[in-house]
mmCIF file of all heavy atoms in Angstrom:
data_model
loop_
_atom_site.group_PDB
_atom_site.id
_atom_site.type_symbol
_atom_site.label_atom_id
_atom_site.label_comp_id
_atom_site.label_asym_id
_atom_site.label_seq_id
_atom_site.Cartn_x
_atom_site.Cartn_y
_atom_site.Cartn_z
ATOM 1 N N THR A 1 -25.362 4.317 2.793
ATOM 2 C CA THR A 1 -24.844 3.038 3.302
ATOM 3 C C THR A 1 -23.338 3.249 3.416
ATOM 4 O O THR A 1 -22.829 3.584 4.467
ATOM 5 C CB THR A 1 -25.208 1.876 2.368
ATOM 6 O OG1 THR A 1 -24.859 2.220 1.013
ATOM 7 C CG2 THR A 1 -26.694 1.571 2.432
ATOM 8 N N ARG A 2 -22.639 3.080 2.324
ATOM 9 C CA ARG A 2 -21.237 3.485 2.234
ATOM 10 C C ARG A 2 -21.212 4.904 1.678
ATOM 11 O O ARG A 2 -21.895 5.208 0.704
ATOM 12 C CB ARG A 2 -20.497 2.536 1.298
ATOM 13 C CG ARG A 2 -19.045 2.899 1.037
ATOM 14 C CD ARG A 2 -18.486 2.037 -0.092
ATOM 15 N NE ARG A 2 -17.089 2.337 -0.349
ATOM 16 C CZ ARG A 2 -16.643 3.301 -1.148
ATOM 17 N NH1 ARG A 2 -17.527 4.088 -1.769
ATOM 18 N NH2 ARG A 2 -15.348 3.496 -1.324
ATOM 19 N N PHE A 3 -20.406 5.798 2.281
ATOM 20 C CA PHE A 3 -20.397 7.182 1.814
ATOM 21 C C PHE A 3 -19.038 7.847 2.066
ATOM 22 O O PHE A 3 -18.215 7.363 2.849
ATOM 23 C CB PHE A 3 -21.522 7.995 2.458
ATOM 24 C CG PHE A 3 -21.445 8.110 3.959
ATOM 25 C CD1 PHE A 3 -20.858 9.224 4.563
ATOM 26 C CD2 PHE A 3 -21.991 7.120 4.786
ATOM 27 C CE1 PHE A 3 -20.799 9.341 5.946
ATOM 28 C CE2 PHE A 3 -21.939 7.231 6.167
ATOM 29 C CZ PHE A 3 -21.339 8.339 6.749
ATOM 30 N N ILE A 4 -18.842 8.963 1.378
ATOM 31 C CA ILE A 4 -17.625 9.772 1.518
ATOM 32 C C ILE A 4 -17.925 10.929 2.459
ATOM 33 O O ILE A 4 -19.001 11.538 2.390
ATOM 34 C CB ILE A 4 -17.173 10.328 0.152
ATOM 35 C CG1 ILE A 4 -17.005 9.193 -0.861
ATOM 36 C CG2 ILE A 4 -15.872 11.113 0.296
ATOM 37 C CD1 ILE A 4 -15.945 8.188 -0.524
ATOM 38 N N ALA A 5 -16.976 11.241 3.334
ATOM 39 C CA ALA A 5 -17.213 12.313 4.306
ATOM 40 C C ALA A 5 -15.901 12.996 4.679
ATOM 41 O O ALA A 5 -14.807 12.474 4.432
ATOM 42 C CB ALA A 5 -17.891 11.761 5.561
ATOM 43 N N ARG A 6 -16.054 14.155 5.291
ATOM 44 C CA ARG A 6 -14.909 14.868 5.864
ATOM 45 C C ARG A 6 -14.993 14.773 7.385
ATOM 46 O O ARG A 6 -16.083 14.738 7.969
ATOM 47 C CB ARG A 6 -14.882 16.329 5.430
ATOM 48 C CG ARG A 6 -14.752 16.502 3.937
ATOM 49 C CD ARG A 6 -14.401 17.927 3.547
ATOM 50 N NE ARG A 6 -12.993 18.207 3.841
ATOM 51 C CZ ARG A 6 -12.384 19.348 3.533
ATOM 52 N NH1 ARG A 6 -13.076 20.323 2.944
ATOM 53 N NH2 ARG A 6 -11.115 19.544 3.808
ATOM 54 N N VAL A 7 -13.831 14.761 7.985
ATOM 55 C CA VAL A 7 -13.733 14.613 9.439
ATOM 56 C C VAL A 7 -13.894 15.966 10.121
ATOM 57 O O VAL A 7 -13.357 16.980 9.673
ATOM 58 C CB VAL A 7 -12.368 13.989 9.808
ATOM 59 C CG1 VAL A 7 -12.109 14.079 11.298
ATOM 60 C CG2 VAL A 7 -12.311 12.540 9.325
ATOM 61 N N ARG A 8 -14.649 15.949 11.246
ATOM 62 C CA ARG A 8 -14.738 17.141 12.107
ATOM 63 C C ARG A 8 -14.815 16.675 13.556
ATOM 64 O O ARG A 8 -15.588 15.771 13.883
ATOM 65 C CB ARG A 8 -15.984 17.979 11.772
ATOM 66 C CG ARG A 8 -16.054 19.269 12.595
ATOM 67 C CD ARG A 8 -17.276 20.089 12.252
ATOM 68 N NE ARG A 8 -18.508 19.487 12.771
ATOM 69 C CZ ARG A 8 -19.718 19.998 12.582
ATOM 70 N NH1 ARG A 8 -19.862 21.101 11.847
ATOM 71 N NH2 ARG A 8 -20.785 19.412 13.086
ATOM 72 N N PHE A 9 -14.009 17.265 14.393
ATOM 73 C CA PHE A 9 -14.081 16.993 15.826
ATOM 74 C C PHE A 9 -14.794 18.154 16.499
ATOM 75 O O PHE A 9 -14.437 19.319 16.288
ATOM 76 C CB PHE A 9 -12.677 16.821 16.414
ATOM 77 C CG PHE A 9 -12.010 15.538 15.981
ATOM 78 C CD1 PHE A 9 -11.153 15.516 14.885
ATOM 79 C CD2 PHE A 9 -12.261 14.351 16.653
ATOM 80 C CE1 PHE A 9 -10.550 14.345 14.469
ATOM 81 C CE2 PHE A 9 -11.661 13.168 16.252
ATOM 82 C CZ PHE A 9 -10.800 13.158 15.157
ATOM 83 N N ASN A 10 -15.821 17.842 17.319
ATOM 84 C CA ASN A 10 -16.560 18.916 17.993
ATOM 85 C C ASN A 10 -15.774 19.421 19.204
ATOM 86 O O ASN A 10 -14.649 18.980 19.472
ATOM 87 C CB ASN A 10 -17.971 18.460 18.374
ATOM 88 C CG ASN A 10 -17.962 17.314 19.392
ATOM 89 O OD1 ASN A 10 -16.954 17.055 20.059
ATOM 90 N ND2 ASN A 10 -19.097 16.643 19.528
ATOM 91 N N LYS A 11 -16.375 20.325 19.958
ATOM 92 C CA LYS A 11 -15.671 20.953 21.087
ATOM 93 C C LYS A 11 -15.317 19.951 22.184
ATOM 94 O O LYS A 11 -14.409 20.194 22.983
ATOM 95 C CB LYS A 11 -16.510 22.092 21.660
ATOM 96 C CG LYS A 11 -17.877 21.657 22.194
ATOM 97 C CD LYS A 11 -18.662 22.854 22.688
ATOM 98 C CE LYS A 11 -20.033 22.421 23.213
ATOM 99 N NZ LYS A 11 -20.823 23.582 23.700
ATOM 100 N N ASP A 12 -16.034 18.811 22.198
ATOM 101 C CA ASP A 12 -15.726 17.754 23.170
ATOM 102 C C ASP A 12 -14.779 16.705 22.585
ATOM 103 O O ASP A 12 -14.595 15.637 23.154
ATOM 104 C CB ASP A 12 -17.019 17.073 23.631
ATOM 105 C CG ASP A 12 -17.949 18.033 24.347
ATOM 106 O OD1 ASP A 12 -17.438 18.897 25.094
ATOM 107 O OD2 ASP A 12 -19.170 17.937 24.135
ATOM 108 N N ASN A 13 -14.221 17.040 21.416
ATOM 109 C CA ASN A 13 -13.288 16.154 20.714
ATOM 110 C C ASN A 13 -13.940 14.838 20.295
ATOM 111 O O ASN A 13 -13.277 13.806 20.182
ATOM 112 C CB ASN A 13 -12.044 15.864 21.559
ATOM 113 C CG ASN A 13 -10.845 15.503 20.692
ATOM 114 O OD1 ASN A 13 -10.691 16.030 19.585
ATOM 115 N ND2 ASN A 13 -10.011 14.608 21.170
ATOM 116 N N LYS A 14 -15.247 14.889 20.052
ATOM 117 C CA LYS A 14 -15.972 13.722 19.566
ATOM 118 C C LYS A 14 -15.959 13.752 18.029
ATOM 119 O O LYS A 14 -16.167 14.802 17.406
ATOM 120 C CB LYS A 14 -17.419 13.724 20.062
ATOM 121 C CG LYS A 14 -17.551 13.645 21.582
ATOM 122 C CD LYS A 14 -17.109 12.288 22.101
ATOM 123 C CE LYS A 14 -17.392 12.178 23.598
ATOM 124 N NZ LYS A 14 -16.950 10.855 24.137
ATOM 125 N N LEU A 15 -15.743 12.585 17.433
ATOM 126 C CA LEU A 15 -15.657 12.491 15.978
ATOM 127 C C LEU A 15 -17.030 12.646 15.339
ATOM 128 O O LEU A 15 -17.987 11.971 15.708
ATOM 129 C CB LEU A 15 -15.047 11.150 15.577
ATOM 130 C CG LEU A 15 -15.016 10.826 14.075
ATOM 131 C CD1 LEU A 15 -14.182 11.848 13.314
ATOM 132 C CD2 LEU A 15 -14.485 9.414 13.853
ATOM 133 N N GLN A 16 -17.095 13.533 14.348
ATOM 134 C CA GLN A 16 -18.295 13.701 13.543
ATOM 135 C C GLN A 16 -17.903 13.682 12.073
ATOM 136 O O GLN A 16 -16.771 14.015 11.710
ATOM 137 C CB GLN A 16 -19.005 15.013 13.879
ATOM 138 C CG GLN A 16 -19.542 15.071 15.303
ATOM 139 C CD GLN A 16 -20.285 16.364 15.559
ATOM 140 O OE1 GLN A 16 -19.848 17.437 15.157
ATOM 141 N NE2 GLN A 16 -21.422 16.257 16.235
ATOM 142 N N LEU A 17 -18.847 13.304 11.246
ATOM 143 C CA LEU A 17 -18.591 13.234 9.813
ATOM 144 C C LEU A 17 -19.520 14.172 9.064
ATOM 145 O O LEU A 17 -20.727 14.222 9.337
ATOM 146 C CB LEU A 17 -18.798 11.800 9.303
ATOM 147 C CG LEU A 17 -17.897 10.727 9.929
ATOM 148 C CD1 LEU A 17 -18.238 9.362 9.338
ATOM 149 C CD2 LEU A 17 -16.425 11.054 9.727
ATOM 150 N N LEU A 18 -18.951 14.914 8.130
ATOM 151 C CA LEU A 18 -19.722 15.791 7.249
ATOM 152 C C LEU A 18 -19.830 15.088 5.902
ATOM 153 O O LEU A 18 -18.834 14.938 5.176
ATOM 154 C CB LEU A 18 -19.028 17.144 7.101
ATOM 155 C CG LEU A 18 -18.751 17.891 8.410
ATOM 156 C CD1 LEU A 18 -17.979 19.174 8.137
ATOM 157 C CD2 LEU A 18 -20.059 18.197 9.137
ATOM 158 N N VAL A 19 -21.024 14.644 5.579
ATOM 159 C CA VAL A 19 -21.247 13.861 4.360
ATOM 160 C C VAL A 19 -20.966 14.722 3.136
ATOM 161 O O VAL A 19 -21.397 15.879 3.057
ATOM 162 C CB VAL A 19 -22.689 13.331 4.312
ATOM 163 C CG1 VAL A 19 -22.896 12.475 3.063
ATOM 164 C CG2 VAL A 19 -23.005 12.525 5.567
ATOM 165 N N ASP A 20 -20.232 14.152 2.177
ATOM 166 C CA ASP A 20 -19.919 14.876 0.941
ATOM 167 C C ASP A 20 -21.090 14.753 -0.026
ATOM 168 O O ASP A 20 -21.048 13.978 -0.990
ATOM 169 C CB ASP A 20 -18.634 14.325 0.325
ATOM 170 C CG ASP A 20 -18.176 15.158 -0.867
ATOM 171 O OD1 ASP A 20 -18.260 16.388 -0.792
ATOM 172 O OD2 ASP A 20 -17.742 14.560 -1.874
ATOM 173 N N HIS A 21 -22.140 15.510 0.273
ATOM 174 C CA HIS A 21 -23.341 15.527 -0.564
ATOM 175 C C HIS A 21 -23.971 16.905 -0.408
ATOM 176 O O HIS A 21 -24.162 17.386 0.716
ATOM 177 C CB HIS A 21 -24.331 14.436 -0.138
ATOM 178 C CG HIS A 21 -25.453 14.241 -1.091
ATOM 179 N ND1 HIS A 21 -26.489 15.150 -1.231
ATOM 180 C CD2 HIS A 21 -25.715 13.243 -1.984
ATOM 181 C CE1 HIS A 21 -27.331 14.724 -2.144
ATOM 182 N NE2 HIS A 21 -26.887 13.568 -2.615
ATOM 183 N N PRO A 22 -24.308 17.561 -1.517
ATOM 184 C CA PRO A 22 -24.803 18.943 -1.436
ATOM 185 C C PRO A 22 -26.093 19.117 -0.659
ATOM 186 O O PRO A 22 -26.376 20.208 -0.162
ATOM 187 C CB PRO A 22 -24.989 19.345 -2.913
ATOM 188 C CG PRO A 22 -25.086 18.053 -3.660
ATOM 189 C CD PRO A 22 -24.227 17.096 -2.908
ATOM 190 N N ASN A 23 -26.906 18.052 -0.516
ATOM 191 C CA ASN A 23 -28.200 18.177 0.154
ATOM 192 C C ASN A 23 -28.237 17.601 1.560
ATOM 193 O O ASN A 23 -29.284 17.594 2.199
ATOM 194 C CB ASN A 23 -29.292 17.523 -0.688
ATOM 195 C CG ASN A 23 -29.444 18.158 -2.051
ATOM 196 O OD1 ASN A 23 -29.064 17.572 -3.050
ATOM 197 N ND2 ASN A 23 -29.965 19.369 -2.094
ATOM 198 N N ILE A 24 -27.105 17.096 2.028
ATOM 199 C CA ILE A 24 -27.057 16.547 3.390
ATOM 200 C C ILE A 24 -26.197 17.457 4.248
ATOM 201 O O ILE A 24 -24.975 17.512 4.091
ATOM 202 C CB ILE A 24 -26.506 15.107 3.387
ATOM 203 C CG1 ILE A 24 -27.415 14.209 2.547
ATOM 204 C CG2 ILE A 24 -26.395 14.570 4.808
ATOM 205 C CD1 ILE A 24 -26.935 12.774 2.435
ATOM 206 N N LYS A 25 -26.846 18.189 5.137
ATOM 207 C CA LYS A 25 -26.154 19.194 5.930
ATOM 208 C C LYS A 25 -25.805 18.712 7.331
ATOM 209 O O LYS A 25 -24.852 19.199 7.935
ATOM 210 C CB LYS A 25 -27.020 20.461 6.048
ATOM 211 C CG LYS A 25 -27.510 21.032 4.718
ATOM 212 C CD LYS A 25 -26.375 21.441 3.806
ATOM 213 C CE LYS A 25 -26.904 22.066 2.510
ATOM 214 N NZ LYS A 25 -25.805 22.376 1.574
ATOM 215 N N GLN A 26 -26.600 17.761 7.875
ATOM 216 C CA GLN A 26 -26.365 17.367 9.261
ATOM 217 C C GLN A 26 -25.101 16.539 9.394
ATOM 218 O O GLN A 26 -24.746 15.774 8.501
ATOM 219 C CB GLN A 26 -27.571 16.604 9.843
ATOM 220 C CG GLN A 26 -27.844 15.238 9.228
ATOM 221 C CD GLN A 26 -28.962 15.274 8.220
ATOM 222 O OE1 GLN A 26 -28.927 16.083 7.298
ATOM 223 N NE2 GLN A 26 -29.945 14.398 8.379
ATOM 224 N N SER A 27 -24.409 16.717 10.488
ATOM 225 C CA SER A 27 -23.228 15.903 10.773
ATOM 226 C C SER A 27 -23.658 14.598 11.433
ATOM 227 O O SER A 27 -24.736 14.506 12.027
ATOM 228 C CB SER A 27 -22.266 16.664 11.681
ATOM 229 O OG SER A 27 -22.899 16.992 12.908
ATOM 230 N N ILE A 28 -22.814 13.577 11.315
ATOM 231 C CA ILE A 28 -23.126 12.256 11.857
ATOM 232 C C ILE A 28 -22.027 11.844 12.822
ATOM 233 O O ILE A 28 -20.839 11.879 12.479
ATOM 234 C CB ILE A 28 -23.234 11.213 10.722
ATOM 235 C CG1 ILE A 28 -24.309 11.630 9.713
ATOM 236 C CG2 ILE A 28 -23.540 9.835 11.285
ATOM 237 C CD1 ILE A 28 -24.401 10.706 8.514
ATOM 238 N N SER A 29 -22.424 11.480 14.022
ATOM 239 C CA SER A 29 -21.449 10.970 14.993
ATOM 240 C C SER A 29 -20.873 9.654 14.483
ATOM 241 O O SER A 29 -21.554 8.888 13.792
ATOM 242 C CB SER A 29 -22.113 10.762 16.350
ATOM 243 O OG SER A 29 -22.575 11.995 16.869
ATOM 244 N N ALA A 30 -19.616 9.392 14.845
ATOM 245 C CA ALA A 30 -18.972 8.202 14.291
ATOM 246 C C ALA A 30 -17.853 7.712 15.190
ATOM 247 O O ALA A 30 -17.385 8.428 16.093
ATOM 248 C CB ALA A 30 -18.422 8.512 12.899
ATOM 249 N N ASN A 31 -17.426 6.471 14.934
ATOM 250 C CA ASN A 31 -16.188 5.955 15.506
ATOM 251 C C ASN A 31 -15.324 5.449 14.360
ATOM 252 O O ASN A 31 -15.698 5.559 13.185
ATOM 253 C CB ASN A 31 -16.451 4.876 16.556
ATOM 254 C CG ASN A 31 -17.166 3.652 15.985
ATOM 255 O OD1 ASN A 31 -17.216 3.459 14.765
ATOM 256 N ND2 ASN A 31 -17.729 2.830 16.852
ATOM 257 N N VAL A 32 -14.172 4.873 14.679
ATOM 258 C CA VAL A 32 -13.216 4.454 13.656
ATOM 259 C C VAL A 32 -12.983 2.957 13.765
ATOM 260 O O VAL A 32 -12.721 2.431 14.857
ATOM 261 C CB VAL A 32 -11.882 5.202 13.805
ATOM 262 C CG1 VAL A 32 -10.904 4.788 12.709
ATOM 263 C CG2 VAL A 32 -12.111 6.713 13.766
ATOM 264 N N HIS A 33 -13.075 2.266 12.638
ATOM 265 C CA HIS A 33 -12.790 0.829 12.615
ATOM 266 C C HIS A 33 -11.315 0.608 12.926
ATOM 267 O O HIS A 33 -10.448 1.407 12.540
ATOM 268 C CB HIS A 33 -13.134 0.262 11.240
ATOM 269 C CG HIS A 33 -13.177 -1.234 11.193
ATOM 270 N ND1 HIS A 33 -12.038 -2.011 11.149
ATOM 271 C CD2 HIS A 33 -14.230 -2.101 11.182
ATOM 272 C CE1 HIS A 33 -12.372 -3.283 11.108
ATOM 273 N NE2 HIS A 33 -13.693 -3.373 11.127
ATOM 274 N N LYS A 34 -11.022 -0.487 13.587
ATOM 275 C CA LYS A 34 -9.653 -0.753 14.032
ATOM 276 C C LYS A 34 -8.673 -0.926 12.875
ATOM 277 O O LYS A 34 -7.460 -0.740 13.046
ATOM 278 C CB LYS A 34 -9.629 -1.986 14.927
ATOM 279 C CG LYS A 34 -10.094 -3.264 14.245
ATOM 280 C CD LYS A 34 -10.090 -4.444 15.220
ATOM 281 C CE LYS A 34 -10.561 -5.729 14.551
ATOM 282 N NZ LYS A 34 -10.580 -6.869 15.513
ATOM 283 N N LYS A 35 -9.179 -1.255 11.672
ATOM 284 C CA LYS A 35 -8.273 -1.427 10.534
ATOM 285 C C LYS A 35 -7.756 -0.086 9.999
ATOM 286 O O LYS A 35 -6.795 -0.052 9.232
ATOM 287 C CB LYS A 35 -8.962 -2.199 9.416
ATOM 288 C CG LYS A 35 -10.081 -1.438 8.708
ATOM 289 C CD LYS A 35 -10.719 -2.279 7.617
ATOM 290 C CE LYS A 35 -11.857 -1.522 6.925
ATOM 291 N NZ LYS A 35 -12.518 -2.341 5.875
ATOM 292 N N VAL A 36 -8.402 1.020 10.390
ATOM 293 C CA VAL A 36 -7.943 2.353 9.980
ATOM 294 C C VAL A 36 -6.895 2.812 10.986
ATOM 295 O O VAL A 36 -7.218 3.100 12.145
ATOM 296 C CB VAL A 36 -9.114 3.356 9.916
ATOM 297 C CG1 VAL A 36 -8.616 4.744 9.512
ATOM 298 C CG2 VAL A 36 -10.178 2.861 8.938
ATOM 299 N N THR A 37 -5.658 2.899 10.546
ATOM 300 C CA THR A 37 -4.549 3.180 11.474
ATOM 301 C C THR A 37 -4.093 4.633 11.448
ATOM 302 O O THR A 37 -3.340 5.048 12.330
ATOM 303 C CB THR A 37 -3.352 2.285 11.139
ATOM 304 O OG1 THR A 37 -2.954 2.498 9.773
ATOM 305 C CG2 THR A 37 -3.727 0.807 11.313
ATOM 306 N N GLU A 38 -4.523 5.411 10.440
ATOM 307 C CA GLU A 38 -4.105 6.812 10.362
ATOM 308 C C GLU A 38 -4.751 7.636 11.480
ATOM 309 O O GLU A 38 -5.885 7.376 11.888
ATOM 310 C CB GLU A 38 -4.475 7.429 9.008
ATOM 311 C CG GLU A 38 -3.659 6.922 7.842
ATOM 312 C CD GLU A 38 -4.159 5.596 7.309
ATOM 313 O OE1 GLU A 38 -5.140 5.065 7.890
ATOM 314 O OE2 GLU A 38 -3.591 5.088 6.328
#
């Protein structure tokens, strides 16, 4: 639901997230909420 992840941009510069969990290997496509300004 809520989770910690690392940022990765693919070759098309699309945002993907790598979940910080030893058993979850697949990346998840994502966007950014407007309140996140960094």
Side-chain angles (χ1 to χ4, degrees):
T1 50
R2 176 190 181 274
F3 62 96
I4 305 297
R6 299 193 75 176
V7 168
R8 184 180 73 181
F9 289 95
N10 64 17
K11 61 182 180 180
D12 297 323
N13 205 34
K14 298 291 186 181
L15 174 61
Q16 295 182 317
L17 300 179
L18 304 176
V19 182
D20 187 41
H21 190 288
N23 299 107
I24 299 178
K25 307 299 183 184
Q26 67 260 53
S27 60
I28 302 176
S29 297
N31 62 16
V32 182
H33 193 283
K34 61 182 180 181
K35 69 180 179 181
V36 179
T37 57
E38 289 82 358

